[in-house]
Amino acid sequence: MASTRKTAYITGAASGIGLAVARSLSTRGYTIALGDLNLAAAQKALATLDNPDSIAVEVDVSSWESQLKAFETVISKLGRLDVVIVNAGVGERVFVPNDGGKGTGFVKPDLTVMNVDLNGFVYTTSLAIQQMRRQEAQGGWRGKIVGTASVCGFYCVPTLPIYTAAKHGAVGFVRSYGKYLPEEQISLNAVCPHVLRTGISTSAFYDSLESQRLLVPMTGVVKAFEHFIDSEDSGECMEIGPGNVLEIRKAPEVVNADSKQLNELLYHRGRPLHLAKET
């Protein structure tokens, strides 16, 4: 697309956080690709943007093949991606049935949550990084990536084990690789909200939290995404609490000089894995 407008690709864009961020970017003049498992819903959401150059694509983020197909379509239509919002996700589900110890045999765990919330997160980010490496820098950046994580990436919820593991993985991925990517003029950050009203849980649960003033307003979440799109930050995770309290949560400090030295050695040990190969 021969256009000077900035562009963005958003997964999980048919509703909730994804749609709210899409609306924000649309008002700022972005051309947007809305990716969602529910194509009809994404197309319906697209119609609300009043943004004729934007598109909707179907994507199952748990599938590399689906992600690749959707991403190639997006690139063919938009030509460049200034921003990628890695938002698609699902909530906790039963991963191992509890038969009260009366069953026989063994059941394979259901890792759908891990496949969507962590593998899908890394798939989308990996596609974005590869595309952005091929782009010329504008304003000092080849592109910016912002993911949706969760406070479950900071805290441990005993009854949400797979979701908590996936979000810890996403936070760890951002805090680590996000500190390297600016060397390639790419940023990677994550927004980590408390609970807000989306399609992941039930209306009764949200109503209960709202009555206790524990729901996070969507405005605060959108503000966090806007911060990372507009800032020079990378490798950071921002917690958004009730009352639109936004705070960047730094990674844990090393405990002593030995830990600091080890981390520096590990950085240099791993760095060659990410450098461009000479041709």
Side-chain angles (χ1 to χ4, degrees), residues 128-211:
I129 290 168
Q130 292 175 75
Q131 171 60 27
M132 290 172 180
R133 282 171 171 163
R134 300 163 187 164
Q135 301 177 168
E136 293 296 324
Q138 294 184 0
W141 295 97
R142 297 179 188 273
K144 296 188 174 185
I145 307 164
V146 189
T148 302
S150 166
V151 290
C152 288
F154 304 137
Y155 311 128
C156 294
V157 182
T159 56
L160 305 177
I162 306 302
Y163 185 81
T164 297
K167 295 303 183 179
H168 268 69
V171 165
F173 179 70
V174 167
R175 282 176 166 172
S176 56
Y177 207 36
K179 290 301 182 183
Y180 162 77
L181 283 173
E183 296 185 26
E184 302 191 40
Q185 297 174 291
I186 299 168
S187 70
L188 171 63
N189 296 285
V191 173
C192 305
H194 290 227
V195 179
L196 67 162
R197 197 179 288 271
T198 65
I200 283 184
S201 194
T202 65
S203 294
F205 178 66
Y206 294 134
D207 291 344
S208 173
L209 292 184
E210 188 169 33
S211 69

Side-chain angles (χ1 to χ4, degrees), residues 3 11 21 24 28 38 41 43 45 57 60 82-84 93 118 160 174 179 181 194 248 262-263 274 277:
S3 173
T11 63
V21 174
S24 170
R28 298 173 66 176
N38 187 335
Q43 291 170 331
V57 294
D60 173 0
D82 296 289
V83 172
V84 172
R93 61 178 66 193
L118 182 55
L160 305 177
V174 167
K179 290 301 182 183
L181 283 173
H194 290 227
I248 289 180
L262 176 60
N263 273 271
H274 308 287
K277 295 182 178 179

Side-chain angles (χ1 to χ4, degrees), residues 239-261:
E239 181 174 351
I240 304 94
N244 281 345
V245 177
L246 282 67
E247 180 180 350
I248 289 180
R249 295 285 306 279
K250 296 294 185 181
E253 296 290 334
V254 295
V255 296
N256 54 36
D258 288 343
S259 294
K260 181 179 180 180
Q261 183 180 7

Side-chain angles (χ1 to χ4, degrees), residues 210-276:
E210 188 169 33
S211 69
Q212 301 173 68
R213 299 182 179 180
L214 292 176
L215 272 187
V216 172
M218 187 65 77
T219 54
V221 178
V222 172
K223 184 178 179 181
F225 277 96
E226 291 174 341
H227 167 83
F228 285 132
I229 291 169
D230 296 336
S231 76
E232 302 293 302
D233 291 342
S234 190
E236 303 293 351
C237 296
M238 182 178 287
E239 181 174 351
I240 304 94
N244 281 345
V245 177
L246 282 67
E247 180 180 350
I248 289 180
R249 295 285 306 279
K250 296 294 185 181
E253 296 290 334
V254 295
V255 296
N256 54 36
D258 288 343
S259 294
K260 181 179 180 180
Q261 183 180 7
L262 176 60
N263 273 271
E264 290 172 351
L265 291 172
L266 289 171
Y267 170 85
H268 291 291
R269 167 65 180 85
R271 191 168 184 274
L273 299 173
H274 308 287
L275 298 179

Side-chain angles (χ1 to χ4, degrees), residues 110-140:
D110 181 347
L111 298 182
T112 300
V113 176
M114 188 72 74
N115 293 335
V116 173
D117 292 354
L118 182 55
N119 293 353
F121 190 102
V122 175
Y123 285 160
T124 309
T125 304
S126 299
L127 288 163
I129 290 168
Q130 292 175 75
Q131 171 60 27
M132 290 172 180
R133 282 171 171 163
R134 300 163 187 164
Q135 301 177 168
E136 293 296 324
Q138 294 184 0

